[in-house]
Amino acid sequence: MKIWGKLDEVLGAGMLTGVAVYALHLTADLGIVMACVTGIVALLAVGVAKQKE
């Protein structure tokens, strides 16, 4: 089951990265980009917290 947890984090981070790049390309709306970056950091923090358990 560990592979699914990692896959979920990777896909989530990939989707957020895609949204951030697309928003930056289209409108340069930095609010959306910063929200996506915050989401990616949150996903990474959750991954680190899971590893500590």
Side-chain angles (χ1 to χ4, degrees):
M1 280 306 261
K2 283 191 163 198
I3 189 74
W4 293 112
K6 297 285 183 188
L7 185 63
D8 185 36
E9 291 172 12
V10 169
L11 288 176
M15 286 190 293
L16 285 172
T17 302
V19 169
V21 168
Y22 191 64
L24 190 59
H25 175 71
L26 284 183
T27 61
D29 185 4
L30 295 180
I32 295 172
V33 174
M34 290 306 294
C36 290
V37 169
T38 303
I40 293 169
V41 170
L43 281 174
L44 293 174
V46 168
V48 169
K50 282 183 182 178
Q51 287 178 354
K52 297 266 182 182
E53 290 181 351

